[in-house]
Amino acid sequence: MAILVTGGAGYIGSHTCVELLNQGFDIVVIDNFSNSKPEALERVKQLSKRRFKSYSMNILDSCGLDRIFQEHEIEAVIHFAGLKSVGESAKMPLQYYHNNLNGTLHLCRMMEKHNVRKLVFSSSATVYGHSEICPIKEHFPLTATNPYGRTKLMTEEVLRDLYQADSRWSIALLRYFNPVGAHKSGRIGEDPNGIPNNLMPYITQVAIGRQEKLTIFGDSYNTKDGTGVRDYIHVVDLARGHIKALEKIRNSTGVDAYNLGTGKGYSVLEMVAAFEQASGRNIPFSIADNRPGDVAVCYASPAKAKEILDWEAQIDIQEMCEDAWRWQLQNPNGYENEDNLVTLHARSANVI
Ligand code: NAD
Ligand code: UFG
């Protein structure tokens, strides 16, 4: 029996594949590489010293998906495949609804056809919208503030309906807070296309010289130092949360949501300081206006995941920064090898 991992070549998927393989699970991976590289899967194989089948395939490809379920004995699915940029989703909502929502519908239909009813779904803290109260608990009101968030919220609702209609389903909705860091080896990590939207990859690209300086979006929030506060969680802790969720859904039925966060909030300036300490590099920054749609503070209550999944984040902020930096330093251009991709900024900053 194998676990089907959709989007397994992506940032969180690749780290979860390593953990699954290390724990002895057999896996099958589907990815269309719209936001990842096949090289990530090669490295997963090297790190785990295990082989597995991977398919360059869109989850919207019904025939292809059907064939995979026919050819492999799939026990459960971990579903990462999706588009994830908030800004992009506002510009191309149809692509987001098609890929994220239709993609999941296709997948679930195929699962049903092949009698596979165990699913771990990548949801997001974005489903809490602009929650005024922290720590955020799973029963808090849900809302969406952009099309990306709406695809997550709608998918959660679809999956709840699925269980209502057929109580043989077993579904874990994992609401991630802010994944950062990389595998200790520095061989796999986050490799965003273009200019990073998120804080940590932006900081690491400043440190390596691919970006000139960090722009901090607002310093007058009602927080300890005026900058935004988030719950950063090491991607390997997050990956291990998937194994715990898998163990849970293997042995029960139902649908339930779990926050995967540390329960601690760090400000942008605290993250910059922690990264500078971990890397020994200076991170120049300037302050700009608040980014539209940002909340001041967002951090999880991870109590439910601890109680029910027996999962708790272990890795602290310093290690998150060290691991993110090791990955960036060893792979200045992500999974691309061309050294000349590192920009002139790096040379002028004397970091290479
Ligand atoms: P990622 O972009 O690195 O990984 C997603 C993977 O899915 C990519 O490899 C991409 O090529 C693949 N993919 C996308 N659409 C596909 C399709 N139709 N068919 C096949 N493959 C497809 O993103 P990630 O950070 O690893 O996120 C994984 C999941 O977690 C996503 O669903 C994302 O929305 C969710 N999530 C991410 C974050 C975050 O900050 N990284 C936070 C909350 C939730
Ligand atoms: N920030 C900056 N400068 C940057 C990037 C970010 O100051 O260049 C600040 C933001 O204003 C925010 C903090 O750093 O205060 C974190 O921002 P991120 O973009 O890294 O993360 P968000 O919390 O805004 O959003 C992320 C994902 C969403 C997801 C959410 C909750 O991008 O998709 O976490 O999981 F919904």
Side-chain angles (χ1 to χ4, degrees):
M1 296 289 267
I3 309 300
L4 177 65
V5 184
T6 75
Y11 173 45
I12 305 168
S14 56
H15 288 81
T16 304
C17 286
V18 170
E19 295 304 314
L20 284 164
L21 292 162
N22 287 348
Q23 294 287 320
F25 288 95
D26 290 325
I27 65 170
V28 175
V29 173
I30 303 176
D31 202 299
N32 67 354
F33 303 111
S34 56
N35 197 38
S36 56
K37 309 266 178 348
E39 173 65 14
L41 294 176
E42 287 311 309
R43 296 189 185 187
V44 168
K45 288 174 188 165
Q46 291 161 13
L47 286 171
S48 62
K49 301 187 178 67
R50 300 259 326 262
R51 310 298 301 170
F52 56 88
K53 281 260 190 192
S54 57
Y55 296 85
S56 175
M57 185 186 288
N58 196 316
I59 52 165
L60 284 151
D61 172 358
S62 302
C63 294
L65 215 48
D66 200 13
R67 216 177 52 241
I68 286 176
F69 278 99
Q70 277 165 25
E71 285 176 9
H72 300 275
E73 230 184 302
I74 303 295
E75 178 192 356
V77 178
I78 305 184
H79 178 33
F80 294 104
L83 301 173
K84 64 165 181 176
S85 161
V86 170
E88 192 180 62
S89 78
K91 290 188 192 116
M92 12 174 165
L94 294 181
Q95 276 94 323
Y96 271 69
Y97 289 117
H98 185 55
N99 197 74
N100 293 6
L101 198 53
N102 275 349
T104 308
L105 297 182
H106 262 79
L107 177 67
C108 290
R109 228 181 265 140
M110 211 48 74
M111 288 174 70
E112 208 163 41
K113 178 174 172 190
H114 293 276
N115 275 314
V116 180
R117 291 186 181 80
K118 297 187 187 308
L119 176 67
V120 177
F121 172 64
S122 295
S123 188
S124 166
T126 191
V127 298
Y128 295 113
H130 290 171
S131 175
E132 296 292 325
I133 302 166
C134 286
I136 295 175
K137 297 187 178 163
E138 286 82 354
H139 66 265
F140 279 18
L142 305 179
T143 181
T145 56
N146 54 69
Y148 165 70
R150 208 159 287 119
T151 67
K152 293 296 178 192
L153 195 50
M154 289 165 91
T155 303
E156 283 202 5
E157 286 168 356
V158 166
L159 295 175
R160 286 185 190 282
D161 286 344
L162 201 51
Y163 173 70
Q164 282 306 316
D166 181 347
S167 59
R168 288 173 297 174
W169 278 88
S170 185
I171 302 170
L173 310 170
L174 301 185
R175 296 176 180 158
Y176 314 152
F177 280 67
N178 290 58
V180 296
H183 191 266
K184 275 266 163 279
S185 63
R187 297 287 293 155
I188 55 173
E190 187 169 15
D191 182 18
N193 280 334
I195 299 172
N197 294 313
N198 298 118
L199 180 65
M200 183 57 97
Y202 205 102
I203 291 177
T204 62
Q205 289 199 11
V206 171
I208 202 73
R210 282 173 68 178
Q211 308 296 335
E212 205 175 346
K213 65 174 168 58
L214 172 70
T215 303
I216 295 182
F217 300 132
D219 67 348
S220 54
Y221 285 111
N222 185 17
T223 60
K224 42 192 141 185
D225 57 27
T227 64
V229 168
R230 295 290 183 276
D231 186 338
Y232 297 95
I233 172 167
H234 196 292
V235 66
V236 172
D237 269 335
L238 192 64
R240 290 178 183 149
H242 291 73
I243 312 283
K244 291 292 195 179
L246 193 58
E247 284 166 3
K248 167 82 183 153
I249 63 164
R250 274 175 127 186
N251 299 311
S252 59
T253 58
V255 55
D256 220 344
Y258 304 94
N259 288 341
L260 296 187
T262 63
K264 297 188 190 83
Y266 287 92
S267 74
V268 177
L269 285 172
E270 285 176 327
M271 291 303 285
V272 169
F275 186 84
E276 287 184 333
Q277 198 184 334
S279 65
R281 296 278 159 93
N282 178 41
I283 304 298
F285 65 81
S286 63
I287 306 290
D289 289 344
N290 298 359
R291 187 169 61 177
D294 270 1
V295 288
V297 181
C298 176
Y299 59 92
S301 162
K304 183 174 172 186
K306 184 172 183 195
E307 188 193 327
I308 299 179
L309 301 181
D310 185 30
W311 171 88
E312 196 173 17
Q314 305 285 339
I315 308 175
D316 67 16
I317 207 78
Q318 208 54 36
E319 228 173 305
M320 295 182 208
C321 292
E322 285 165 13
D323 295 345
W325 177 231
R326 188 179 306 104
W327 153 255
Q328 186 71 83
L329 198 57
Q330 291 181 21
N331 307 271
N333 301 305
Y335 290 108
E336 301 277 356
N337 281 323
E338 298 97 317
D339 293 335
N340 59 3
L341 279 178
V342 178
T343 62
L344 284 175
H345 298 311
R347 294 173 207 289
S348 59
N350 251 344
V351 297
I352 54 170

